[in-house]
Amino acid sequence: DGGITQSPKYLFRKEGQNVTLSCEQNLNHDAMYWYRQDPGQGLRLIYYSQIVNDFQKGDIAEGYSVSREKKESFPLTVTSAQKNPTAFYLCASNQGASSTDTQYFGPGTRLTVL
Amino acid sequence: AQSVAQPEDQVNVAEGNPLTVKCTYSVSGNPYLFWYVQYPNRGLQFLLKYITGDNLVKGSYGFEAEFNKSQTSFHLKKPSALVSDSALYFCAVRDENSGNTPLVFGKGTRLSVIA
């Protein structure tokens, strides 16, 4: 987990509220990623960014938004349009220079909708 | 398209016995293959990767993986399992021609090591 921090560790949201999950890295990595993890479904890609001020949708981007204003930060907003947001959210990063790059993960944020 | 299959949702092994967690992949070019481990309520930890060269890759915590191009497999192995190895294991792939795109992950295999 070293080098990538996610906050908060646990987050509770009421229906209809937007919430923002923080992801910060001090590894000087260009590329950053957000995944959602549900039991039995593995990891599903939400958004990724290969460079500052640019990002691409992943497989399940609906109901989520991101920004990449700084190299070290890639916050994820879970909007009220996301129908079933209760899940474990993982942020990752890698150098971004090569297809051999290893992705490193943060410790995760568990979001629960009340 | 790139894909990874982990055919077993759950693997049970007795402590001290060898363990194998299976992974097969599909890519159009040459594969770059990765194994990660996840403990409860934690992020994924990198174990090892295959890029090129020796088909047997050694990684963290005594784990190794064998790349088999003809069988398109990259099985994770350990000669003697520990109870502390009990966790969720993910295999991932990236095609050499895909550039710096996100890794494609399998659905994970839960390993239980029984004392």
Side-chain angles (χ1 to χ4, degrees):
Chain A
D1 297 346
I4 304 174
T5 57
Q6 292 186 242
S7 61
K9 187 172 177 64
Y10 298 96
L11 186 57
F12 298 90
R13 189 194 93 172
K14 294 181 180 178
E15 285 196 25
Q17 285 183 336
N18 292 355
V19 290
T20 297
L21 283 58
S22 169
C23 177
E24 304 275 333
Q25 53 98 359
N26 62 3
L27 301 169
N28 200 32
H29 285 170
D30 284 317
M32 298 186 74
Y33 310 84
W34 274 106
Y35 292 90
R36 171 180 171 143
Q37 185 177 22
D38 296 280
Q41 295 198 44
L43 301 177
R44 292 186 290 169
L45 182 67
I46 305 172
Y47 268 99
Y48 65 102
S49 168
Q50 294 178 311
I51 198 168
V52 174
N53 292 323
D54 188 39
F55 48 84
Q56 288 79 40
K57 293 182 179 179
D59 301 318
I60 56 164
E62 185 176 351
Y64 299 96
S65 66
V66 293
S67 62
R68 186 87 188 277
E69 297 176 2
K70 298 186 298 182
K71 186 176 186 176
E72 59 270 24
S73 178
F74 191 40
L76 174 74
T77 297
V78 185
T79 75
S80 57
Q82 170 49 235
K83 298 284 187 257
N84 184 21
T86 294
F88 191 51
Y89 290 86
L90 289 161
C91 178
S93 71
N94 64 256
Q95 189 67 45
S98 165
S99 51
T100 62
D101 283 354
T102 300
Q103 276 181 217
Y104 295 95
F105 284 79
T109 292
R110 186 165 296 280
L111 173 63
T112 303
V113 174
L114 302 174
Chain B
Q2 307 167 74
S3 67
V4 170
Q6 294 182 241
E8 300 157 317
D9 292 335
Q10 173 94 28
V11 170
N12 298 318
V13 64
E15 188 176 29
N17 282 2
L19 69 86
T20 298
V21 182
K22 295 179 180 178
C23 171
T24 59
Y25 65 90
S26 175
V27 295
S28 56
N30 287 319
Y32 298 140
L33 293 152
F34 301 77
W35 274 104
Y36 290 83
V37 61
Q38 185 182 33
Y39 297 99
N41 293 310
R42 302 288 298 275
L44 276 65
Q45 295 179 34
F46 169 70
L47 283 177
L48 52 81
K49 69 179 178 183
Y50 171 81
I51 302 301
T52 188
D54 194 344
N55 289 342
L56 186 65
V57 179
K58 294 188 183 298
S60 306
Y61 313 121
F63 284 94
E64 57 190 27
E66 186 168 13
F67 172 65
N68 188 317
K69 188 170 185 176
S70 63
Q71 297 186 3
T72 61
S73 68
F74 189 56
H75 301 332
L76 183 70
K77 301 181 180 185
K78 188 173 183 181
S80 178
L82 300 172
V83 172
S84 57
D85 292 329
S86 298
L88 189 56
Y89 290 81
F90 290 96
C91 182
V93 71
R94 192 189 278 129
D95 188 309
E96 66 169 352
N97 297 319
S98 66
N100 182 40
T101 53
L103 289 175
V104 174
F105 286 86
K107 292 195 172 185
T109 298
R110 188 165 300 282
L111 172 67
S112 290
V113 181
I114 304 156

